[in-house]
């Protein structure tokens, strides 16, 4: 097996690596364009852009639209590669962000944190944007394919399967996160089987995400049928990542025991690097309960111990006393700041070395 280019619709992806969309502010035009320049898919997170662009407008929704347009424009200035946008279904401005991404001709929209059952409804006759749902089960993949096909005569251009080792909000119940029945290794072949049901109509490549950190990880999961992978955590500790240096250093300083599952105000479990802020939340220390923008549909300010968008925004800016860093299960493996180019080189070398070791072992009859 080798790392080969593939197609998402009519888009040529030179290296089958998608950079995960990480909000608030972690993956913007800087990181996305750097990944795209290496032949992968660079992804801008649309989460929380209204805060990042509050100088344009104090109206969160207006600032979010302006901010997404600006980030796509900046990414296009820096790269001729494939640029995507991540839009969470759970966001209250989901429709605005999807429409804006399509109008600005983003190459791909990735959408999870809920089932994006109506996403094709936003496409227009001249749309070129590809639509890629993020799922955590074959059941969800099947449902999306059926709904899109019956309602819009459209099938996903690819599917991303995000396993329970991912960072940030997880599409699993807390008791499922460590259950092998919900592992990425079990789910990938099941989703690939769903995609194959539609082969006569459309090739739907399946990408694996969540806990993939090395080229060897890539190789192992692609042997199970994945066409490529999505990585978020590995790209945080890069020069080009849009987060503050303090945020990146949180990853570098973290030990495995520091990475924990937390209860998010949005009603989903999340994986983050533990710190004093999270400890205070656990202790029931009251946090400000003012709702700035009702950014997430499921967030109830009367029951939330803190505002999650502000916590993530503070962390992005480097104020970890008033926020925390979401991170994948392997975040503790980061030891230094690298460039995106170096990471792509390392991933390819790790992938090839694993394949060579397998060949030598099979040749030796082991």
């Amino acid at each position: 097996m080798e790392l080969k280019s593939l197609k998402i619709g009519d888009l040529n992806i030179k290296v089958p690596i998608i950079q995960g969309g990480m909000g608030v502010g972690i993956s913007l035009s800087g990181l996305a364009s750097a990944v795209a320049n290496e032949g992968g898919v660079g992804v801008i997170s649309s989460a929380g852009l209204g805060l990042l662009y509050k100088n344009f407008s104090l109206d969160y929704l207006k600032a979010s639209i302006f901010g997404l347009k600006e980030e796509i424009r900046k990414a296009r200035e820096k790269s001729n590669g494939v640029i995507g946008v991540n839009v969470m279904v759970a966001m209250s401005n989901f429709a605005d962000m999807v429409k804006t991404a399509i109008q600005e001709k983003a190459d791909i929209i990735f959408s999870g944190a809920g089932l994006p059952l109506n996403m094709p409804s936003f496409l227009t006759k001249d749309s070129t944007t590809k639509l890629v749902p993020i799922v955590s089960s074959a059941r969800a993949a099947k449902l999306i394919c059926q709904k899109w096909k019956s309602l819009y005569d459209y099938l996903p251009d690819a599917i991303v399967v995000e396993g329970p080792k991912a960072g940030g909000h997880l599409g699993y119940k807390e008791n499922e996160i460590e259950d092998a029945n919900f592992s990425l290794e079990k789910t990938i072949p099941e989703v690939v089987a769903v995609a194959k049901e539609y082969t006569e109509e459309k090739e739907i490549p399946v990408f694996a995400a969540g806990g993939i950190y090395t080229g060897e990880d890539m190789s192992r999961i692609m042997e199970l049928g994945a066409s490529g992978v999505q990585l978020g955590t590995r790209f945080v500790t890069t020069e080009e990542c849009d987060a503050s240096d303090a945020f990146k250093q949180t990853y570098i300083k973290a030990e495995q025991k520091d990475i924990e599952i937390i209860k998010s105000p949005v009603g989903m479990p999340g994986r983050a690097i533990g710190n004093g802020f999270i400890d205070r939340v656990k202790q029931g220390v009251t946090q400000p309960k003012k709702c700035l923008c009702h950014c997430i549909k499921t967030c109830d300010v009367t029951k939330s111990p803190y505002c999650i968008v502000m916590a993530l925004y503070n962390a992005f800016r480097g104020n970890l006393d008033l926020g925390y860093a979401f991170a994948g299960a392997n975040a503790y493996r980061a030891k230094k700041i690298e460039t995106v180019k170096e990471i792509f080189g390392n991933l390819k070398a790790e992938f090839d070395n694993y394949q060579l070791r397998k060949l030598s072992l099979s040749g030796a009859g082991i």
Side-chain angles (χ1 to χ4, degrees):
M1 183 189 291
E2 58 181 320
L3 278 181
K4 297 185 291 188
S5 65
L6 57 78
K7 295 268 190 183
I8 296 180
D10 58 4
L11 293 171
N12 186 43
I13 314 301
K14 293 178 183 176
V15 184
I17 294 174
I18 297 166
Q19 163 249 310
M22 297 172 284
V24 171
I26 311 306
S27 63
L28 301 173
S29 56
L31 180 56
S33 59
V35 170
N37 283 336
E38 295 304 316
V41 179
V43 181
I44 296 162
S45 170
S46 64
L49 286 174
L51 283 180
L52 273 65
Y53 282 87
K54 60 187 176 183
N55 288 343
F56 169 77
S57 173
L58 292 178
D59 182 320
Y60 181 82
L61 299 179
K62 287 181 181 177
S64 293
I65 292 170
F66 176 80
L68 183 54
K69 288 180 178 179
E70 279 292 286
E71 290 301 324
I72 293 172
R73 180 187 62 77
K74 289 178 188 175
R76 292 286 188 218
E77 285 179 355
K78 298 172 187 172
S79 177
N80 293 319
V82 178
I83 300 292
V85 174
N86 181 285
V87 185
M88 296 190 299
V89 177
M91 294 190 336
S92 55
N93 61 344
F94 171 78
D96 278 352
M97 295 291 90
V98 170
K99 288 176 187 175
T100 302
I102 290 170
Q103 288 165 5
E104 296 299 308
K105 300 194 182 303
D107 292 312
I108 307 174
I109 296 174
F110 298 90
S111 189
L115 298 178
L117 296 178
N118 68 339
M119 198 155 63
S121 69
F122 299 104
L123 293 172
T124 58
K125 286 184 179 179
D126 62 345
S127 297
T128 57
T129 303
K130 309 298 179 285
L131 305 181
V132 178
I134 301 172
V135 302
S136 55
S137 69
R139 183 171 170 271
K142 181 76 170 177
L143 179 60
I144 289 168
C145 287
Q146 290 174 336
K147 287 285 188 183
W148 286 16
K149 181 65 181 170
S150 64
L151 294 176
Y152 310 108
D153 193 28
Y154 195 95
L155 286 167
D157 295 287
I159 297 172
V160 172
V161 183
E162 193 165 275
K165 292 183 179 179
H169 289 120
L170 304 172
Y172 300 87
K173 295 175 183 173
E174 200 160 343
N175 66 316
E176 295 171 343
I177 293 171
E178 298 296 333
D179 187 335
N181 291 314
F182 296 91
S183 69
L184 184 62
E185 289 78 7
K186 186 175 188 299
T187 308
I188 279 293
E190 296 170 351
V191 176
V192 169
V194 171
K196 282 183 177 174
E197 293 177 26
Y198 298 92
T199 301
E200 289 186 11
E201 297 174 74
K202 191 173 193 175
E203 287 289 335
I204 306 175
V206 175
F207 289 80
I212 298 165
Y213 196 81
T214 67
E216 180 171 328
D217 296 337
M218 288 175 59
S219 184
R220 288 180 187 276
I221 207 72
M222 288 173 69
E223 286 171 357
L224 297 178
S227 298
V229 298
Q230 175 182 287
L231 288 81
T233 294
R234 183 87 191 249
F235 288 117
V236 169
T237 50
T238 58
E239 291 179 10
E240 297 92 343
C241 176
D242 299 275
S244 63
D245 187 60
F247 185 98
K248 299 173 190 180
Q249 290 299 323
T250 300
Y251 275 51
I252 291 171
K253 293 173 184 174
E255 298 178 24
Q256 190 170 7
K257 63 180 175 61
D258 298 323
I259 298 168
E260 58 180 285
I261 302 298
I262 65 169
K263 292 181 179 178
S264 166
V266 308
M268 302 168 79
R271 181 175 277 107
I273 298 173
N275 67 359
F277 179 89
I278 290 174
D279 290 341
R280 292 197 300 276
V281 171
K282 289 178 187 173
Q283 292 160 11
V285 177
T286 303
Q287 302 290 336
K289 292 188 178 180
K290 179 183 176 183
C291 181
L292 295 171
C293 47
H294 188 57
C295 59
I296 301 290
K297 296 171 189 171
T298 55
C299 188
D300 182 352
V301 70
T302 63
K303 298 175 182 176
S304 296
Y306 62 95
C307 171
I308 189 165
V309 74
M310 275 307 300
L312 297 177
Y313 175 70
N314 288 333
F316 149 73
R317 296 191 64 189
N319 186 357
L320 278 302
D321 288 334
L322 294 176
Y324 56 84
F326 271 147
N330 285 308
Y332 70 95
R333 298 173 70 173
K335 302 301 178 192
K336 61 180 180 178
I337 303 295
E338 302 173 273
T339 64
V340 167
K341 181 180 281 295
E342 287 170 338
I343 284 181
F344 265 78
N346 290 336
L347 289 169
K348 290 175 187 174
E350 292 158 0
F351 185 98
D352 291 342
N353 288 338
Y354 174 72
Q355 290 296 321
L356 285 171
R357 287 201 310 275
K358 275 191 67 183
L359 277 173
S360 64
L361 288 173
S362 62
I366 297 173

